[in-house]
Amino acid sequence: MDTQLITFVTVAAALTITPGADTMLVFRNVLRGSRRDGIITTFGICSGLFVHALLSALGVSILLMHSATLFHAVKMAGACYLIWLGWQSFRSAVRKNAEPVSGEQSRQMVSCRTCFLEGFLNNVLNPKVAVFYLAFLPQFIGPADPVVMKSILLAGIHYVMGIVWLVCLSVFLDRARRFLIRASVRRGLEGFCGMALMGLGVCLAFEKR
């Protein structure tokens, strides 16, 4: 069990720190608002892991993996969501009448619920995460183990790792923002994050299974 746990932690850590849509969304929300926005987005992202773990344990993800139609539908939904998030960020960054706002004003612009849902949906609508959980988690579940509980436990480990990593990124980026006082620079970075999210969405939409 010790060897299995070390293997799981190693692979989950690699998945966690690999830059992707979740990372770009956290960056975008910190730049748009504050570290609070990034941290709440992080909790939304990591909460989605339990959904994937539960679906994998119940066997629902098998349909996603073996049904081309269902996989394509979920993939397109996730791609469209990424493109929409990216477009919202990019449009906000290029508005000519955009005015720099204080930290307190920016915190009032986006609710906690919005940040959480953005992160949660971004993770849940990612078919790659579902397929990963289906292919990876069963290797650490024995025939006599309670499948659902063991899956939730492993997802909990991944959850903690994701929280620590993305919260640290949120705090670091929020501190770095103090050196990016110029509104044009901040909007430029937000626009870059928006284009990155749209690019990830397009790549997901046209990626072959």
Side-chain angles (χ1 to χ4, degrees), residues 25-126:
L25 181 61
V26 169
F27 274 32
R28 171 250 199 183
N29 283 359
V30 173
L31 291 171
R32 180 183 64 181
S34 65
R35 79 173 65 177
R36 184 217 68 166
D37 299 271
I39 291 173
I40 294 174
T41 302
T42 293
F43 277 95
I45 290 169
C46 294
S47 296
L49 298 175
F50 292 107
V51 175
H52 290 296
L54 182 60
L55 292 178
S56 177
L58 297 177
V60 177
S61 293
I62 295 178
L63 296 176
L64 183 66
M65 192 172 188
H66 294 283
S67 172
T69 302
L70 180 59
F71 183 89
H72 181 73
V74 174
K75 184 178 72 170
M76 291 305 298
C80 290
Y81 184 68
L82 277 177
I83 294 172
W84 181 81
L85 285 177
W87 171 247
Q88 293 295 315
S89 180
F90 182 77
R91 186 181 64 174
S92 174
V94 299
R95 284 176 179 170
K96 293 182 179 180
N97 61 344
E99 295 291 339
V101 294
S102 66
E104 183 62 29
Q105 287 174 320
S106 63
R107 280 192 290 272
Q108 294 174 353
M109 289 173 60
V110 183
S111 69
C112 296
R113 179 182 179 183
T114 297
C115 291
F116 184 89
L117 285 177
E118 284 181 348
F120 182 77
L121 291 175
N122 192 63
N123 188 275
V124 170
L125 292 176
N126 190 341

Side-chain angles (χ1 to χ4, degrees), residues 16 39 42-47 49 157-169:
T16 299
I39 291 173
T42 293
F43 277 95
I45 290 169
C46 294
S47 296
L49 298 175
I157 296 174
H158 195 187
Y159 175 90
V160 173
M161 296 169 66
I163 291 292
V164 172
W165 174 250
L166 292 176
V167 165
C168 287
L169 286 180

Side-chain angles (χ1 to χ4, degrees), residues 131-200:
V131 173
F132 171 81
Y133 264 64
L134 176 65
F136 193 57
L137 256 63
Q139 300 180 37
F140 302 91
I141 301 175
D145 292 335
V147 178
V148 174
M149 293 302 297
K150 189 71 173 291
S151 298
I152 296 298
L153 174 62
L154 293 174
I157 296 174
H158 195 187
Y159 175 90
V160 173
M161 296 169 66
I163 291 292
V164 172
W165 174 250
L166 292 176
V167 165
C168 287
L169 286 180
S170 298
V171 173
F172 172 79
L173 186 60
D174 186 64
R175 290 183 179 275
R177 277 199 335 146
R178 299 178 183 179
F179 298 97
L180 304 174
I181 303 300
R182 293 176 57 186
S184 59
V185 176
R186 292 202 303 270
R187 288 199 299 270
L189 289 174
E190 185 179 353
F192 172 79
C193 290
M195 288 189 294
L197 286 170
M198 287 190 289
L200 288 170

